[in-house]
Amino acid sequence: MKLLLVEDDELLADSLAERLDEEAYRVDVAPRCRDAEALIASEDYAAVILDLGLPDGSGLSMLERWREAGNLVPVLALTARDSWEDKVKGLQGGADDYVTKPFHEAELLARLQALIRRSHGQAKALLTLDDLQLDEALKRCRLGESDWQTLTATEYRLLRFMMHYPDRVHSKRRLLDQLYSLTQDVSTPNMIEVYIARLRQRLGRSRIETRRGEGYVLHAVRQS
């Protein structure tokens, strides 16, 4: 799944982006408001991690503009201010959760994962679609009561994204956008076919449908 990290502290942004990559997220980094505004208008993000204190403007004011424009992307706000008044302002301005600097990366990741799950109507770290289960903590899947299957990093990223958006047609380009950040070189869209084939070996061919000329659909319910 693809995230937008809006943070002007280069060391912090690099460290956090690296940790998020280890957790199978793809991250675009924006150090300023103007960069974030351009990306949020052109890219599709599962969530935004937003520093409220940016060098070219107020992150909170920018967030308020997003909400006024109808953008409901989940936002985890970061700030060095720890007073309850500042937290209230952030939440009232449109943030969905709040982390105060300095923070433990494990806490931020847990809050981020919970935020994304809630935005998709899921309450637990175990994502479920009919008989299909995905364990986000251990990056493994299973059908019904069968044995758990450990997924590769890319298989996990792809299946997690499609489980969050079941019964929708996803083009190869959209899937690539969710797997790779803007700074990464992507060799060919045909690699998506390879990973779809691998997931079908695990889930059965009927679970992921090919819509010729359109893309792929992960069905929420097992197809007969």
Side-chain angles (χ1 to χ4, degrees):
M1 302 185 78
K2 200 165 188 176
L3 307 176
L4 175 60
L5 172 59
V6 187
E7 172 59 62
D8 65 305
D9 184 324
E10 186 175 352
L11 290 178
L12 175 59
D14 288 346
S15 174
L16 191 51
E18 182 177 351
R19 179 62 187 278
L20 290 166
D21 181 76
E22 292 172 356
E23 295 297 320
Y25 292 103
R26 286 311 184 208
V27 185
D28 292 337
V29 178
R32 293 175 175 77
C33 287
R34 64 174 179 268
D35 303 313
E37 294 276 27
L39 287 170
I40 203 71
S42 62
E43 301 294 325
D44 184 16
Y45 295 106
V48 177
I49 302 172
L50 174 62
D51 185 357
L52 298 183
L54 296 167
D56 63 338
S58 165
L60 180 56
S61 296
M62 179 171 64
L63 174 56
E64 290 173 341
R65 291 195 296 273
W66 293 352
R67 296 310 192 214
E68 289 172 1
N71 191 324
L72 301 179
V73 62
V75 172
L76 178 62
L78 303 180
T79 183
R81 300 175 181 178
D82 60 358
S83 71
W84 67 266
E85 293 96 340
D86 290 314
K87 293 179 181 179
V88 169
K89 287 180 182 177
L91 294 169
Q92 289 180 337
D96 298 279
D97 201 354
Y98 208 100
V99 174
T100 303
K101 296 178 182 180
F103 54 81
H104 291 286
E105 288 185 347
E107 178 189 1
L108 183 144
L109 287 168
R111 288 181 178 275
L112 176 67
Q113 289 167 348
L115 186 62
I116 293 173
R117 288 198 302 270
R118 289 196 302 270
S119 72
H120 292 275
Q122 297 277 350
K124 299 180 180 179
L126 190 65
L127 298 182
T128 303
L129 286 177
D130 194 29
D131 63 336
L132 173 60
Q133 296 177 312
L134 179 67
D135 185 334
E136 290 188 288
L138 297 178
K139 299 178 178 58
R140 59 185 187 173
C141 72
R142 71 174 179 178
L143 291 171
E145 297 301 319
S146 63
D147 292 337
W148 288 100
Q149 302 181 63
T150 300
L151 300 167
T152 67
T154 302
E155 288 171 351
Y156 171 71
R157 294 183 184 112
L158 185 60
L159 181 57
R160 179 178 60 180
F161 173 72
M162 296 183 78
M163 285 185 70
H164 275 300
Y165 299 95
D167 297 323
R168 299 189 191 180
V169 180
H170 302 292
S171 68
K172 291 180 183 179
R173 175 51 56 187
R174 177 175 171 78
L175 294 175
L176 283 172
D177 285 345
Q178 294 299 322
L179 295 177
Y180 298 95
S181 69
L182 295 175
T183 59
Q184 291 177 300
D185 180 39
V186 181
S187 56
T188 170
N190 291 334
M191 66 191 305
I192 290 295
E193 297 177 6
V194 174
Y195 288 105
I196 290 292
R198 291 182 183 178
L199 289 178
R200 281 174 169 157
Q201 289 177 354
R202 299 182 185 278
L203 309 179
R205 289 194 58 84
S206 64
R207 199 56 180 266
I208 302 178
E209 177 189 357
T210 299
R211 296 281 180 88
R212 194 167 300 278
E214 298 181 72
Y216 301 98
V217 179
L218 174 68
H219 293 289
V221 178
R222 180 195 287 267
Q223 303 296 292
S224 58

